Amino acid sequence: MPRPRKCRRVCCMPGSQSFGPLDGCPAEHRTIVMTVDEFEAIRLIDLEGLSQEECANRMAVARTTAQAIYSSARVKLAECLVKGTRLSISGGDYTLCEGAPC
C-alpha cells in the first residue's frame, strides 16, 4: 500500500488560472492541468531563483519530491509552449501559508 501524499506548503496562489495561445486553432480543445504545487515550484525555482533544496524547505517536502514536482511542471510548460495547448492551474495536495505573500 503506498504512503498517503503529504500536503505541500504553497505561499502564493496564481493570479490567473488559465493560459493559452491567442492565435491557436479553434479545433484544439486539449488543456493541460498544472497543479498549484507545481506552479509554486516553478515560481520558487525559476522566478525567485531558489535552489531545489531551498524550494523543498519552503514547500515542506523532501528535495527529491520538490525535484519531481518541478520536473513535472517543466514538462507541462514545455508542451504548452511547443504544441500551443491551453494550460489550467488547479488542484493538487497543498496547504496555504499563513499570511501568504505574493
Side-chain angles (χ1 to χ4, degrees), residues 34 42 46 69-79:
M34 177 184 284
I42 291 288
D46 290 335
I69 294 168
Y70 179 64
S71 178
S72 174
R74 287 185 61 191
V75 168
K76 291 175 182 182
L77 282 176
E79 187 172 349

Side-chain angles (χ1 to χ4, degrees), residues 8-52:
R8 288 86 191 253
R9 187 173 40 190
V10 171
C11 292
C12 185
M13 292 297 287
S16 299
Q17 282 93 24
S18 295
F19 303 89
L22 298 176
D23 59 351
C25 175
E28 179 62 52
H29 293 293
R30 185 160 181 258
T31 300
I32 293 176
V33 178
M34 177 184 284
T35 61
V36 174
D37 52 322
E38 289 172 330
F39 166 82
E40 180 74 346
I42 291 288
R43 185 183 75 79
L44 291 174
I45 295 170
D46 290 335
L47 187 63
E48 290 195 12
L50 300 182
S51 68
Q52 289 180 1

